[in-house]
mmCIF file of all heavy atoms in Angstrom:
data_model
loop_
_atom_site.group_PDB
_atom_site.id
_atom_site.type_symbol
_atom_site.label_atom_id
_atom_site.label_comp_id
_atom_site.label_asym_id
_atom_site.label_seq_id
_atom_site.Cartn_x
_atom_site.Cartn_y
_atom_site.Cartn_z
ATOM 1 N N LEU A 1 147.247 -72.340 116.367
ATOM 2 C CA LEU A 1 148.083 -73.328 115.657
ATOM 3 C C LEU A 1 149.059 -74.030 116.563
ATOM 4 O O LEU A 1 149.587 -75.092 116.198
ATOM 5 C CB LEU A 1 148.831 -72.628 114.489
ATOM 6 C CG LEU A 1 147.933 -72.159 113.333
ATOM 7 C CD1 LEU A 1 148.728 -71.394 112.377
ATOM 8 C CD2 LEU A 1 147.238 -73.325 112.662
ATOM 9 N N LYS A 2 149.339 -73.459 117.741
ATOM 10 C CA LYS A 2 150.226 -74.118 118.682
ATOM 11 C C LYS A 2 149.548 -75.233 119.454
ATOM 12 O O LYS A 2 150.193 -76.050 120.176
ATOM 13 C CB LYS A 2 150.812 -73.102 119.664
ATOM 14 C CG LYS A 2 151.752 -72.053 118.958
ATOM 15 C CD LYS A 2 152.247 -71.002 119.987
ATOM 16 C CE LYS A 2 153.182 -69.998 119.283
ATOM 17 N NZ LYS A 2 153.603 -69.018 120.221
ATOM 18 N N LEU A 3 148.235 -75.251 119.421
ATOM 19 C CA LEU A 3 147.489 -76.258 120.153
ATOM 20 C C LEU A 3 147.350 -77.543 119.300
ATOM 21 O O LEU A 3 147.514 -77.554 118.096
ATOM 22 C CB LEU A 3 146.035 -75.743 120.405
ATOM 23 C CG LEU A 3 145.929 -74.420 121.250
ATOM 24 C CD1 LEU A 3 144.505 -73.956 121.324
ATOM 25 C CD2 LEU A 3 146.494 -74.653 122.678
ATOM 26 N N ASN A 4 147.097 -78.593 120.014
ATOM 27 C CA ASN A 4 146.891 -79.903 119.327
ATOM 28 C C ASN A 4 145.599 -79.873 118.537
ATOM 29 O O ASN A 4 144.590 -79.380 119.040
ATOM 30 C CB ASN A 4 146.847 -81.064 120.341
ATOM 31 C CG ASN A 4 148.192 -81.257 121.015
ATOM 32 O OD1 ASN A 4 149.267 -81.156 120.366
ATOM 33 N ND2 ASN A 4 148.173 -81.547 122.330
ATOM 34 N N PRO A 5 145.642 -80.407 117.285
ATOM 35 C CA PRO A 5 144.407 -80.446 116.499
ATOM 36 C C PRO A 5 143.320 -81.286 117.186
ATOM 37 O O PRO A 5 143.650 -82.202 117.904
ATOM 38 C CB PRO A 5 144.899 -81.158 115.191
ATOM 39 C CG PRO A 5 146.345 -80.862 115.084
ATOM 40 C CD PRO A 5 146.812 -80.926 116.538
ATOM 41 N N GLY A 6 142.086 -80.890 116.943
ATOM 42 C CA GLY A 6 140.973 -81.594 117.532
ATOM 43 C C GLY A 6 140.381 -80.891 118.703
ATOM 44 O O GLY A 6 140.006 -79.672 118.634
ATOM 45 N N VAL A 7 140.299 -81.518 119.844
ATOM 46 C CA VAL A 7 139.589 -81.047 121.002
ATOM 47 C C VAL A 7 140.182 -79.745 121.562
ATOM 48 O O VAL A 7 139.426 -78.761 121.795
ATOM 49 C CB VAL A 7 139.581 -82.095 122.152
ATOM 50 C CG1 VAL A 7 138.882 -81.490 123.432
ATOM 51 C CG2 VAL A 7 138.813 -83.322 121.715
ATOM 52 N N GLU A 8 141.478 -79.645 121.621
ATOM 53 C CA GLU A 8 142.120 -78.438 122.178
ATOM 54 C C GLU A 8 141.799 -77.183 121.366
ATOM 55 O O GLU A 8 141.461 -76.137 121.887
ATOM 56 C CB GLU A 8 143.654 -78.584 122.237
ATOM 57 C CG GLU A 8 144.119 -79.482 123.440
ATOM 58 C CD GLU A 8 145.615 -79.454 123.556
ATOM 59 O OE1 GLU A 8 146.257 -78.523 123.031
ATOM 60 O OE2 GLU A 8 146.156 -80.366 124.223
ATOM 61 N N ARG A 9 141.837 -77.350 120.036
ATOM 62 C CA ARG A 9 141.546 -76.240 119.179
ATOM 63 C C ARG A 9 140.095 -75.864 119.180
ATOM 64 O O ARG A 9 139.762 -74.661 119.190
ATOM 65 C CB ARG A 9 142.016 -76.541 117.766
ATOM 66 C CG ARG A 9 143.531 -76.585 117.612
ATOM 67 C CD ARG A 9 143.935 -76.838 116.166
ATOM 68 N NE ARG A 9 145.416 -76.816 116.033
ATOM 69 C CZ ARG A 9 146.049 -76.920 114.868
ATOM 70 N NH1 ARG A 9 145.394 -77.023 113.742
ATOM 71 N NH2 ARG A 9 147.361 -76.921 114.876
ATOM 72 N N SER A 10 139.224 -76.856 119.251
ATOM 73 C CA SER A 10 137.773 -76.557 119.320
ATOM 74 C C SER A 10 137.399 -75.856 120.634
ATOM 75 O O SER A 10 136.626 -74.886 120.644
ATOM 76 C CB SER A 10 137.014 -77.861 119.208
ATOM 77 O OG SER A 10 137.116 -78.446 117.955
ATOM 78 N N GLU A 11 138.021 -76.312 121.740
ATOM 79 C CA GLU A 11 137.793 -75.626 123.009
ATOM 80 C C GLU A 11 138.243 -74.217 123.036
ATOM 81 O O GLU A 11 137.669 -73.303 123.577
ATOM 82 C CB GLU A 11 138.498 -76.435 124.141
ATOM 83 C CG GLU A 11 137.808 -77.806 124.451
ATOM 84 C CD GLU A 11 138.551 -78.531 125.496
ATOM 85 O OE1 GLU A 11 139.722 -78.248 125.799
ATOM 86 O OE2 GLU A 11 137.939 -79.520 126.071
ATOM 87 N N TYR A 12 139.421 -73.980 122.359
ATOM 88 C CA TYR A 12 139.966 -72.606 122.256
ATOM 89 C C TYR A 12 138.975 -71.707 121.524
ATOM 90 O O TYR A 12 138.739 -70.570 121.974
ATOM 91 C CB TYR A 12 141.306 -72.682 121.562
ATOM 92 C CG TYR A 12 141.970 -71.323 121.272
ATOM 93 C CD1 TYR A 12 142.711 -70.723 122.319
ATOM 94 C CD2 TYR A 12 141.794 -70.639 120.064
ATOM 95 C CE1 TYR A 12 143.257 -69.448 122.097
ATOM 96 C CE2 TYR A 12 142.417 -69.448 119.859
ATOM 97 C CZ TYR A 12 143.124 -68.816 120.884
ATOM 98 O OH TYR A 12 143.725 -67.627 120.669
ATOM 99 N N LEU A 13 138.433 -72.196 120.422
ATOM 100 C CA LEU A 13 137.541 -71.344 119.656
ATOM 101 C C LEU A 13 136.222 -71.092 120.433
ATOM 102 O O LEU A 13 135.722 -69.952 120.414
ATOM 103 C CB LEU A 13 137.176 -72.063 118.299
ATOM 104 C CG LEU A 13 138.355 -72.147 117.322
ATOM 105 C CD1 LEU A 13 137.933 -73.000 116.103
ATOM 106 C CD2 LEU A 13 138.831 -70.781 116.871
ATOM 107 N N MET A 14 135.713 -72.076 121.075
ATOM 108 C CA MET A 14 134.450 -71.897 121.838
ATOM 109 C C MET A 14 134.661 -71.027 123.033
ATOM 110 O O MET A 14 133.768 -70.264 123.483
ATOM 111 C CB MET A 14 133.851 -73.258 122.136
ATOM 112 C CG MET A 14 133.269 -73.973 121.016
ATOM 113 S SD MET A 14 132.289 -75.468 121.364
ATOM 114 C CE MET A 14 133.636 -76.575 121.816
ATOM 115 N N ALA A 15 135.833 -71.117 123.601
ATOM 116 C CA ALA A 15 136.155 -70.279 124.823
ATOM 117 C C ALA A 15 136.234 -68.813 124.469
ATOM 118 O O ALA A 15 135.892 -67.939 125.243
ATOM 119 C CB ALA A 15 137.441 -70.725 125.434
ATOM 120 N N ASN A 16 136.645 -68.526 123.223
ATOM 121 C CA ASN A 16 136.838 -67.120 122.821
ATOM 122 C C ASN A 16 135.718 -66.602 121.972
ATOM 123 O O ASN A 16 135.518 -65.378 121.919
ATOM 124 C CB ASN A 16 138.155 -67.002 122.041
ATOM 125 C CG ASN A 16 139.379 -67.132 122.899
ATOM 126 O OD1 ASN A 16 139.668 -66.246 123.708
ATOM 127 N ND2 ASN A 16 140.066 -68.255 122.806
ATOM 128 N N PHE A 17 134.963 -67.462 121.256
ATOM 129 C CA PHE A 17 133.932 -67.045 120.362
ATOM 130 C C PHE A 17 132.605 -67.707 120.574
ATOM 131 O O PHE A 17 131.655 -67.600 119.736
ATOM 132 C CB PHE A 17 134.368 -67.216 118.894
ATOM 133 C CG PHE A 17 135.606 -66.465 118.493
ATOM 134 C CD1 PHE A 17 136.806 -67.169 118.389
ATOM 135 C CD2 PHE A 17 135.557 -65.118 118.328
ATOM 136 C CE1 PHE A 17 137.966 -66.479 118.019
ATOM 137 C CE2 PHE A 17 136.671 -64.438 117.944
ATOM 138 C CZ PHE A 17 137.931 -65.093 117.822
ATOM 139 N N GLY A 18 132.456 -68.377 121.678
ATOM 140 C CA GLY A 18 131.200 -69.046 121.997
ATOM 141 C C GLY A 18 130.897 -70.260 121.148
ATOM 142 O O GLY A 18 131.800 -70.804 120.469
ATOM 143 N N ARG A 19 129.647 -70.695 121.097
ATOM 144 C CA ARG A 19 129.293 -71.851 120.346
ATOM 145 C C ARG A 19 129.562 -71.767 118.863
ATOM 146 O O ARG A 19 129.662 -72.735 118.184
ATOM 147 C CB ARG A 19 127.761 -72.168 120.597
ATOM 148 C CG ARG A 19 127.480 -72.667 122.003
ATOM 149 C CD ARG A 19 125.975 -72.918 122.233
ATOM 150 N NE ARG A 19 125.212 -71.667 122.088
ATOM 151 C CZ ARG A 19 123.905 -71.611 122.139
ATOM 152 N NH1 ARG A 19 123.224 -72.707 122.335
ATOM 153 N NH2 ARG A 19 123.269 -70.431 122.054
ATOM 154 N N THR A 20 129.547 -70.510 118.333
ATOM 155 C CA THR A 20 129.791 -70.318 116.932
ATOM 156 C C THR A 20 131.286 -70.230 116.596
ATOM 157 O O THR A 20 131.633 -70.029 115.413
ATOM 158 C CB THR A 20 129.117 -69.041 116.436
ATOM 159 O OG1 THR A 20 129.618 -67.902 117.173
ATOM 160 C CG2 THR A 20 127.593 -69.101 116.660
ATOM 161 N N GLY A 21 132.135 -70.371 117.563
ATOM 162 C CA GLY A 21 133.533 -70.237 117.338
ATOM 163 C C GLY A 21 134.167 -71.165 116.356
ATOM 164 O O GLY A 21 135.098 -70.766 115.585
ATOM 165 N N THR A 22 133.600 -72.387 116.320
ATOM 166 C CA THR A 22 134.176 -73.350 115.333
ATOM 167 C C THR A 22 133.993 -72.907 113.885
ATOM 168 O O THR A 22 134.697 -73.423 113.005
ATOM 169 C CB THR A 22 133.571 -74.755 115.526
ATOM 170 O OG1 THR A 22 132.144 -74.631 115.485
ATOM 171 C CG2 THR A 22 134.014 -75.321 116.852
ATOM 172 N N ASP A 23 133.052 -71.940 113.622
ATOM 173 C CA ASP A 23 132.856 -71.475 112.294
ATOM 174 C C ASP A 23 134.096 -70.710 111.787
ATOM 175 O O ASP A 23 134.247 -70.554 110.592
ATOM 176 C CB ASP A 23 131.658 -70.500 112.210
ATOM 177 C CG ASP A 23 130.333 -71.265 112.388
ATOM 178 O OD1 ASP A 23 130.260 -72.455 112.096
ATOM 179 O OD2 ASP A 23 129.381 -70.618 112.843
ATOM 180 N N LEU A 24 134.917 -70.238 112.743
ATOM 181 C CA LEU A 24 136.161 -69.517 112.331
ATOM 182 C C LEU A 24 137.367 -70.387 112.197
ATOM 183 O O LEU A 24 138.465 -69.837 111.990
ATOM 184 C CB LEU A 24 136.385 -68.403 113.359
ATOM 185 C CG LEU A 24 135.345 -67.399 113.578
ATOM 186 C CD1 LEU A 24 135.806 -66.259 114.558
ATOM 187 C CD2 LEU A 24 134.861 -66.751 112.285
ATOM 188 N N ALA A 25 137.195 -71.693 112.314
ATOM 189 C CA ALA A 25 138.345 -72.617 112.260
ATOM 190 C C ALA A 25 139.191 -72.440 111.089
ATOM 191 O O ALA A 25 140.443 -72.436 111.130
ATOM 192 C CB ALA A 25 137.871 -74.039 112.431
ATOM 193 N N ARG A 26 138.569 -72.296 109.904
ATOM 194 C CA ARG A 26 139.319 -72.165 108.660
ATOM 195 C C ARG A 26 140.135 -70.905 108.603
ATOM 196 O O ARG A 26 141.246 -70.814 107.998
ATOM 197 C CB ARG A 26 138.401 -72.211 107.453
ATOM 198 C CG ARG A 26 137.948 -73.610 107.089
ATOM 199 C CD ARG A 26 136.784 -73.627 106.094
ATOM 200 N NE ARG A 26 135.559 -73.220 106.756
ATOM 201 C CZ ARG A 26 134.338 -73.226 106.156
ATOM 202 N NH1 ARG A 26 134.214 -73.554 104.900
ATOM 203 N NH2 ARG A 26 133.287 -72.872 106.774
ATOM 204 N N ILE A 27 139.634 -69.820 109.283
ATOM 205 C CA ILE A 27 140.452 -68.604 109.352
ATOM 206 C C ILE A 27 141.563 -68.768 110.353
ATOM 207 O O ILE A 27 142.713 -68.355 110.059
ATOM 208 C CB ILE A 27 139.556 -67.422 109.807
ATOM 209 C CG1 ILE A 27 138.491 -67.168 108.763
ATOM 210 C CG2 ILE A 27 140.372 -66.158 110.052
ATOM 211 C CD1 ILE A 27 137.458 -66.101 109.169
ATOM 212 N N MET A 28 141.335 -69.413 111.443
ATOM 213 C CA MET A 28 142.327 -69.640 112.453
ATOM 214 C C MET A 28 143.508 -70.502 111.985
ATOM 215 O O MET A 28 144.610 -70.426 112.526
ATOM 216 C CB MET A 28 141.686 -70.270 113.731
ATOM 217 C CG MET A 28 140.753 -69.308 114.501
ATOM 218 S SD MET A 28 141.644 -67.947 115.273
ATOM 219 C CE MET A 28 141.052 -66.586 114.287
ATOM 220 N N GLU A 29 143.218 -71.334 110.985
ATOM 221 C CA GLU A 29 144.286 -72.187 110.448
ATOM 222 C C GLU A 29 145.242 -71.504 109.555
ATOM 223 O O GLU A 29 146.253 -72.053 109.121
ATOM 224 C CB GLU A 29 143.632 -73.341 109.700
ATOM 225 C CG GLU A 29 142.858 -74.326 110.604
ATOM 226 C CD GLU A 29 141.956 -75.292 109.824
ATOM 227 O OE1 GLU A 29 141.985 -75.150 108.608
ATOM 228 O OE2 GLU A 29 141.315 -76.129 110.459
ATOM 229 N N LEU A 30 145.032 -70.218 109.241
ATOM 230 C CA LEU A 30 145.868 -69.466 108.321
ATOM 231 C C LEU A 30 147.162 -68.964 108.877
ATOM 232 O O LEU A 30 148.202 -68.914 108.208
ATOM 233 C CB LEU A 30 145.065 -68.287 107.765
ATOM 234 C CG LEU A 30 143.875 -68.618 106.873
ATOM 235 C CD1 LEU A 30 143.077 -67.325 106.639
ATOM 236 C CD2 LEU A 30 144.328 -69.265 105.597
ATOM 237 N N GLY A 31 147.153 -68.554 110.148
ATOM 238 C CA GLY A 31 148.330 -67.937 110.752
ATOM 239 C C GLY A 31 148.309 -66.440 110.512
ATOM 240 O O GLY A 31 147.669 -65.936 109.600
ATOM 241 N N SER A 32 148.968 -65.670 111.366
ATOM 242 C CA SER A 32 148.928 -64.206 111.339
ATOM 243 C C SER A 32 149.415 -63.619 110.008
ATOM 244 O O SER A 32 148.859 -62.676 109.481
ATOM 245 C CB SER A 32 149.709 -63.622 112.508
ATOM 246 O OG SER A 32 151.054 -64.022 112.471
ATOM 247 N N ALA A 33 150.499 -64.170 109.492
ATOM 248 C CA ALA A 33 151.094 -63.620 108.305
ATOM 249 C C ALA A 33 150.114 -63.687 107.075
ATOM 250 O O ALA A 33 149.902 -62.739 106.382
ATOM 251 C CB ALA A 33 152.392 -64.323 107.934
ATOM 252 N N LYS A 34 149.466 -64.862 106.951
ATOM 253 C CA LYS A 34 148.527 -65.042 105.863
ATOM 254 C C LYS A 34 147.237 -64.185 106.034
ATOM 255 O O LYS A 34 146.723 -63.591 105.045
ATOM 256 C CB LYS A 34 148.134 -66.525 105.722
ATOM 257 C CG LYS A 34 147.236 -66.850 104.508
ATOM 258 C CD LYS A 34 147.973 -66.483 103.231
ATOM 259 C CE LYS A 34 147.126 -66.916 102.029
ATOM 260 N NZ LYS A 34 147.770 -66.547 100.773
ATOM 261 N N ILE A 35 146.774 -64.083 107.249
ATOM 262 C CA ILE A 35 145.581 -63.253 107.539
ATOM 263 C C ILE A 35 145.876 -61.798 107.187
ATOM 264 O O ILE A 35 145.034 -61.124 106.552
ATOM 265 C CB ILE A 35 145.142 -63.439 108.991
ATOM 266 C CG1 ILE A 35 144.559 -64.825 109.183
ATOM 267 C CG2 ILE A 35 144.076 -62.349 109.384
ATOM 268 C CD1 ILE A 35 144.177 -65.125 110.666
ATOM 269 N N GLY A 36 147.023 -61.335 107.605
ATOM 270 C CA GLY A 36 147.396 -59.972 107.329
ATOM 271 C C GLY A 36 147.541 -59.731 105.837
ATOM 272 O O GLY A 36 147.157 -58.706 105.295
#
């Protein structure tokens, strides 16, 4: 969430979760408090 929306966030997801990383975007948009 500290990254700029768009390319930066997509690159972050793919760097950490591979090509399927963008599938987790909706979860990543929640923040730690909401996920917990």
Side-chain angles (χ1 to χ4, degrees):
L1 292 174
K2 292 178 181 178
L3 300 173
N4 293 320
V7 176
E8 284 188 18
R9 291 185 177 183
S10 294
E11 288 178 343
Y12 177 83
L13 292 175
M14 288 189 287
N16 288 288
F17 299 104
R19 290 178 296 177
T20 60
T22 53
D23 290 334
L24 301 185
R26 281 167 288 184
I27 297 175
M28 290 292 109
E29 291 168 0
L30 294 170
S32 60
K34 185 61 177 178
I35 290 175

